[in-house]
Amino acid sequence: MTEHHDNDAHKPKGIYLLPNLLTTGGLFAGFYAVVASMNGDFKLASVAIFIAMIFDGLDGRVARMTNTQSAFGAEYDSMADMLSFGVAPALIAYNWGLNELGKIGWLAAFIFVAGAALRLARFNTMVGKADKRYFQGLASPAAAGIIAGGVWLGAEHELDGHSIGFIVALITMAAGALMVSNFRYHSFKDVDWKGRVSFLAILLVVLVYVIVATNPALVLFAIFMAYAVSGPFITVRGVRKLKMEHVVGDSKDADFCEKQKAAAEQSEATTENAKENEQKAKD
């Protein structure tokens, strides 16, 4: 009994500062996006969503690099994502082009919020089970990027969102539906960010920055729209016969999930063999 209390006393208490500080930055950006949209500054609200994406991309990587992962940090990150990539984009779309559509407007915004909530809940329950190379359903930051990019593009060209309210509603609902779909999206987690690359690759990165800087609203909107379309394309190409389970529903019965699991096992086996060969070479 005394030994058990001694072990509890030696457990570290408190939370890690750096990753949770970055998560808080993303949460602040999402909240600011809501406030800015309420004040009619839709361009600034959209930019705040993209800033929240930067914080969201950094907090997890910093936590892994500094070995400061925690259950608290994971839960806090999900709650921050719900605001920044669920509630905030929906309210931006509603304030910009949906609030004059009546019930259709706020229902379209709610579909997006519900889709983001379900997407995050499903992602949290599948951590460590699904193939890391793919996301099941459109990731909430990407869906938020479609909304924020579209509103930013419209605001930059002084387009009245209410004049295209039905198009805004259609895009908002489609983004919400894609989040809860079974379509596969590349996660890019298999990219070796620590590995060496050629000088040409660095030049290509510089070129991408230049292209984005020329017209960030248009380029970002196009990138996230293309990514959203890539999911159905990848899924349809990877199955022999498209079924309802491949689009929505119980993904456990889908053929592509079996292929996904097999691919993940094969990838793990290849990685283990590579490590064994590297160790033998060192010995």
Side-chain angles (χ1 to χ4, degrees):
M1 189 69 178
T2 304
E3 183 180 353
H4 176 72
H5 285 298
D6 290 340
N7 291 335
D8 290 341
H10 288 294
K11 288 182 179 180
K13 297 181 180 180
I15 59 175
Y16 295 109
L17 177 61
L18 185 56
N20 291 299
L21 191 63
L22 294 171
T23 303
T24 303
L27 181 64
F28 176 81
F31 179 76
Y32 184 79
V34 174
V35 175
S37 70
M38 293 172 63
N39 292 330
D41 196 343
F42 298 108
K43 182 177 179 180
L44 195 57
S46 301
V47 172
I49 295 296
F50 288 107
I51 293 175
M53 290 185 195
I54 296 174
F55 281 110
D56 182 61
L58 287 175
D59 59 3
R61 285 174 174 78
V62 168
R64 288 188 291 271
M65 289 173 60
T66 58
N67 196 26
T68 54
Q69 305 100 313
S70 66
F72 174 86
E75 295 297 328
Y76 186 33
D77 181 65
S78 293
M79 293 181 182
D81 288 351
M82 183 59 209
L83 173 65
S84 300
F85 309 128
V87 176
L91 289 178
I92 291 173
Y94 179 79
N95 291 328
W96 185 64
L98 299 177
N99 56 3
E100 291 188 1
L101 295 180
K103 290 183 179 180
I104 295 178
W106 66 260
L107 283 174
F110 174 73
I111 288 173
F112 186 91
V113 173
L118 292 169
R119 173 66 177 79
L120 289 167
R122 182 170 66 179
F123 176 80
N124 290 340
T125 58
M126 294 179 65
V127 172
K129 300 178 182 178
D131 187 353
K132 294 182 179 180
R133 298 175 302 168
Y134 295 97
F135 289 132
Q136 183 181 350
L138 183 64
S140 55
I146 295 174
I147 303 299
V151 173
W152 186 1
L153 184 62
E156 198 169 64
H157 290 82
E158 298 182 353
L159 177 65
D160 184 9
H162 300 109
S163 63
I164 55 170
F166 284 102
I167 298 178
V168 177
L170 182 62
I171 293 175
T172 303
M173 290 188 290
L178 285 174
M179 282 190 283
V180 296
S181 70
N182 286 335
F183 292 132
R184 291 191 300 170
Y185 289 89
H186 278 293
S187 65
F188 303 106
K189 291 184 178 180
D190 55 340
V191 178
D192 185 12
W193 299 104
K194 297 180 180 179
R196 293 177 177 271
V197 295
S198 64
F199 185 74
L200 180 60
I202 300 299
L203 292 179
L204 290 176
V205 171
V206 174
L207 180 61
V208 170
Y209 282 134
V210 172
I211 294 174
V212 173
T214 55
N215 194 338
L218 177 60
V219 173
L220 290 173
F221 178 68
I223 289 174
F224 284 107
M225 281 294 291
Y227 182 69
V229 174
S230 70
F233 176 77
I234 292 173
T235 303
V236 172
R237 190 184 63 175
V239 297
R240 295 180 180 178
K241 183 179 179 181
L242 188 66
K243 300 179 181 178
M244 181 60 69
E245 292 86 356
H246 299 137
V247 180
V248 69
D250 188 1
S251 61
K252 293 181 180 179
D253 296 330
D255 295 337
F256 75 87
C257 284
E258 295 179 1
K259 294 181 179 180
Q260 196 172 352
K261 183 178 179 181
E265 292 176 352
Q266 184 178 358
S267 177
E268 290 179 1
T270 303
T271 304
E272 289 296 329
N273 290 334
K275 289 181 179 179
E276 290 178 2
N277 293 334
E278 185 179 353
Q279 186 63 36
K280 289 180 180 178
K282 289 181 178 179
D283 295 341

